[in-house]
Amino acid sequence: MNGAEINNKGETMVMSSYQDKPPKYPEEKIKYPKSVFFIIGNEFCERFSYYGMRTILSLYLTQALKYTETTSTIIYHTFVMLCYFTPLVGGIAADSWLGKYKTILYVSLFYAFGNIVLSVSSITVLNIPHAALSLIGLFLIASGTGGIKPCVSSFGGDQFVLPQQELQLQRFFSVFYFSINAGSVLSCFLTPILREEVKCFGQDNCYPLAFGIPAVLMCLSVVIFICGKSLYKIKKPNGNIAMDVAKCVGHAIVRKVQLQKKEKKDHWLDYAAPKYSLKLIEDTKILMRIIFLFTPTIIFWALYEQQGSKWTFQANNMDGSVNGWFTIQPDQMQTINPVLCLIFIPIFESIIYPLLYKIRLIRTPLQKLCWGGILAALAFLISGFLELQIGKDKAIVPDAGEAQLRLYNTFNCPIHLELPDAQINHTLSAFETIEFLHLPVTDKKMLNIDAFLDKSCGNSSTFKGILEIRNHQISSYMFSSPLSLQTLNVTGSAEVQKSSQGFPKLKILYSLKESLEVQLKGPTNPTIQVNNHQSLVTEIKERGIYNVVVNGKVRNKTIELLPGGFYTYLITDKDQDGKIFTITKPNTVNLMWQLPQYFVITFAEIMFSITGIEFSFTQSPESMKSVISSIWLLTDSLGNIIVLIVAGLKIFENQAYEFFLFAGMMTIVMILFILIAMKYKYVEIKSEENNETEDSRI
């Protein structure tokens, strides 16, 4: 399909690039701009800062600030949404008033300050409003990174002479994206280690350091950017282009309403003439075409951004052990994506794209975008099937209208149980537990219980009593000597739910009322206090085999605690071995099973995101480079809004079905995108012969 652009006289210029083969580039030799290395270095540090902070953000919200997973998901995606909405403001400021250099510089200062605020707010020993300051820091970061995003890539593009350096420009965007992922790889690997392995301010983790290192890198990025100033090609802003476009569009609409019956135009924007120049009108047409084209791409980002939220929470419910050598933290899985980007970007550029061009599977940038979207849908299809498998290990909790009942036998002989109100008749074996998971109840219900010790015990002890069950609650009781029923607790589902960090959880029960001190000796050495028959639920920081020490005496039998499991350890006598019960199954699906979905989403990202950045720059009018780059980034913001809406509606209880929903949405919008892309007319890249630059003293 042929494309068109308007030259300085408003005449149509037909282009041939992006038709049936890769574009051919002039072989004219022009010196490669050294200034781009400062821009790439700046981008590396800034992306290290951004992704390092973002990698641990979900867990910081749930673990340190104690938000629920749903609330944390909403905050996380609101933050990311702002990060990709504020580029619109930055792009307009750069193209209209400040220019790209000043916009990047000024906004970076806010960005760095936001990182510092977030790091300080995570210091628990300070008497400050931690949650409020954290949200303020996130807002400053979102404003800063948003102001920079549309300017840095287009500012780097400004350093090249087009079309003579079109090939170098295309490779610059690949190197630029490579630097993004290099910074992301290091930060995604390092910050979870700093968070988990370092202890500071009396805490078992160190969020201040994990946030502090990204803050230092953001400050360094500002220094690197300033150092390259003398080499930059700095173009003047084109006046208030946003206002000019708005006035042009408004005038065209008014004139169309007034004259459409008297005077027919090929395009509704043509009604803006003669008040507005032909060039502004044609540039605005290009802007409108690109906005219309970008609209379906919003869904891609709704999928892509869930790596930092839903996929991380999915990883929490998986076993991160790798052959017993080491354990991968859930948030470290996000490192896989940028690592794969570093590996496959050169492979795509040197092997895959030439091959796809040769077999004519890909001929245009928009075809790359189409294939990227289809791959994203496939990634979420894979993640949905994985979630179904993970769901087999999830805690069984009472739904609305249901209650759970758990009974423990501390006797060395069976107990016969009768609960006529619940139609239960059962024998509870010696030193065992029994659970009734789905008892119907409206609010709360009192159940009569008759218990009889088995004749093998040598006596005929009986017990008659009443126990209570409640809607959406878990009630636990223990039979102790002499035959009686001890109330352990009545709790919600939180106790049996898996740890938000994927740790094993342990609760100790004791048949007597006296206090005990229980120590575990193994990969970690926690001490647990038992009072009034029970201890608090304790998260054990490392999986493994543990020796049990009760009041200083080592028990003969060891216990094994696995990630995600919730265990109760029953002690019937201070001098005898206890017994371990698995209440919630541990994570049995290995974290490495997330690799296929990460591979596919990475291939989708390379084909979609890099192509989108390049397409936004090359297809936009000279006066709107940053604005159109910001519109491309705005689609990411709107994608996060979709995630927020779906999360807020809670359409599905099972996360797997939500993943399938996103896969289906992506498939549908890609069909729509293909139909739009088939009618798109590409813009020719014009020669830069009269580029004006700002005074280098700016």
Side-chain angles (χ1 to χ4, degrees), residues 127-310:
N127 186 21
I128 55 176
H130 299 283
L133 281 177
S134 295
L135 296 179
I136 291 172
L138 290 174
F139 177 77
L140 291 173
I141 292 170
S143 301
T145 189
I148 291 173
K149 281 180 185 293
C151 302
V152 175
S153 59
S154 57
F155 187 58
D158 285 346
Q159 310 307 306
F160 294 86
V161 177
L162 297 179
Q164 294 91 331
Q165 290 185 301
E166 188 177 353
L167 178 59
Q168 290 91 329
L169 175 67
Q170 187 180 54
R171 288 174 178 167
F172 161 74
F173 282 120
S174 290
V175 173
F176 181 81
Y177 208 80
F178 187 91
S179 71
I180 290 174
N181 286 281
S184 177
V185 165
L186 293 177
S187 60
C188 289
F189 179 78
L190 179 62
T191 51
I193 293 176
L194 297 176
R195 170 189 66 80
E196 183 60 30
E197 301 298 333
V198 179
K199 296 176 173 55
C200 61
F201 301 108
Q203 300 293 310
D204 290 334
N205 48 43
C206 194
Y207 280 104
L209 181 61
F211 286 133
I213 296 299
V216 171
L217 265 291
M218 186 58 222
C219 295
L220 179 60
S221 75
V222 178
V223 173
I224 292 173
F225 183 70
I226 294 174
C227 288
K229 183 177 183 299
S230 62
L231 299 175
Y232 295 143
K233 181 193 295 184
I234 304 176
K235 296 183 178 181
K236 292 180 180 179
N238 291 278
N240 195 341
I241 188 65
M243 187 60 68
D244 291 342
V245 169
K247 289 179 179 179
C248 178
V249 170
H251 184 68
I253 292 173
V254 171
R255 293 264 296 166
K256 177 177 173 60
V257 173
Q258 294 174 343
L259 302 175
Q260 61 180 339
K261 293 183 179 180
K262 301 177 183 178
E263 185 179 347
K264 297 295 182 181
K265 300 283 187 181
D266 293 336
H267 193 283
W268 63 272
L269 277 169
D270 292 333
Y271 286 98
K275 183 175 180 178
Y276 293 94
S277 70
L278 206 53
K279 184 176 188 310
L280 176 62
I281 292 171
E282 295 302 329
D283 285 355
T284 306
K285 287 181 184 179
I286 295 172
L287 174 64
M288 293 301 172
R289 286 206 305 269
I290 291 177
I291 290 175
F292 182 64
L293 179 69
F294 282 172
T295 301
T297 67
I298 292 169
I299 300 295
F300 174 86
W301 301 110
L303 277 64
Y304 176 80
E305 293 295 349
Q306 290 186 63
Q307 292 179 76
S309 57
K310 295 295 186 180

Side-chain angles (χ1 to χ4, degrees), residues 483-546:
L483 185 58
S484 59
L485 197 61
Q486 304 295 334
T487 301
L488 295 176
N489 52 19
V490 180
T491 67
S493 60
E495 182 174 278
V496 300
Q497 292 279 20
K498 291 179 179 288
S499 161
S500 62
Q501 295 178 265
F503 294 141
K505 295 168 67 175
L506 178 66
K507 183 172 185 174
I508 298 176
L509 307 177
Y510 183 38
S511 60
L512 302 179
K513 199 168 184 178
E514 63 184 87
S515 299
L516 288 179
E517 182 180 87
V518 179
Q519 294 176 304
L520 299 184
K521 299 293 185 181
T524 61
N525 301 288
T527 298
I528 303 171
Q529 300 296 329
V530 181
N531 297 292
N532 194 24
H533 299 293
Q534 61 189 324
S535 73
L536 298 175
V537 176
T538 302
E539 290 196 2
I540 311 301
K541 303 301 182 182
E542 294 286 344
R543 64 175 290 163
I545 297 175
Y546 288 85

Side-chain angles (χ1 to χ4, degrees), residues 76 115 142 154 160 180 182 204 271 294 309-310 333 366 443 466 493 505 541 566 584 587 625 636 683 691 697:
Y76 176 89
N115 275 279
S154 57
F160 294 86
I180 290 174
D204 290 334
Y271 286 98
F294 282 172
S309 57
K310 295 295 186 180
M333 278 303 289
L366 293 182
D443 180 19
I466 297 176
S493 60
K505 295 168 67 175
K541 303 301 182 182
F566 172 52
T584 298
N587 302 336
K625 296 291 187 187
D636 196 323
V683 172
N691 287 329
R697 292 171 292 178

Side-chain angles (χ1 to χ4, degrees), residues 426-460:
H426 191 84
T427 298
L428 179 55
S429 300
F431 302 133
E432 284 293 341
T433 183
I434 187 172
E435 51 191 12
F436 304 97
L437 300 177
H438 304 288
L439 298 176
V441 62
T442 52
D443 180 19
K444 66 179 180 179
K445 187 175 182 180
M446 311 305 292
L447 301 178
N448 291 298
I449 180 170
D450 294 333
F452 312 88
L453 281 177
D454 191 84
K455 294 179 181 179
S456 62
C457 295
N459 61 62
S460 57

Side-chain angles (χ1 to χ4, degrees), residues 393-397 404 406-408 433-435 437 474 476 495-498 505-507 509 564-569 580-586:
D393 296 335
K394 287 190 175 179
I396 301 174
V397 298
Q404 283 187 9
R406 186 168 289 108
L407 301 171
Y408 292 90
T433 183
I434 187 172
E435 51 191 12
L437 300 177
I474 301 171
S476 298
E495 182 174 278
V496 300
Q497 292 279 20
K498 291 179 179 288
K505 295 168 67 175
L506 178 66
K507 183 172 185 174
L509 307 177
F566 172 52
Y567 303 91
T568 55
Y569 184 70
I580 191 85
F581 299 104
T582 301
I583 306 301
T584 298
K585 291 196 297 186

Side-chain angles (χ1 to χ4, degrees), residues 545-613:
I545 297 175
Y546 288 85
N547 290 300
V548 181
V549 181
V550 179
N551 285 350
K553 185 174 181 179
V554 180
R555 296 298 172 102
N556 293 325
K557 291 184 179 179
T558 59
I559 60 174
E560 184 176 18
L561 305 177
L562 298 174
F566 172 52
Y567 303 91
T568 55
Y569 184 70
L570 178 61
I571 300 174
T572 57
D573 189 293
K574 288 186 293 185
D575 299 320
Q576 294 180 358
D577 292 328
K579 186 165 185 179
I580 191 85
F581 299 104
T582 301
I583 306 301
T584 298
K585 291 196 297 186
N587 302 336
T588 59
V589 181
N590 194 274
L591 198 53
M592 292 298 97
W593 281 107
Q594 272 198 330
L595 285 178
Q597 66 200 52
Y598 271 102
F599 267 91
V600 177
I601 200 70
T602 300
F603 296 160
E605 177 188 0
I606 292 172
M607 302 189 78
F608 200 93
S609 188
I610 298 177
T611 306
I613 294 173

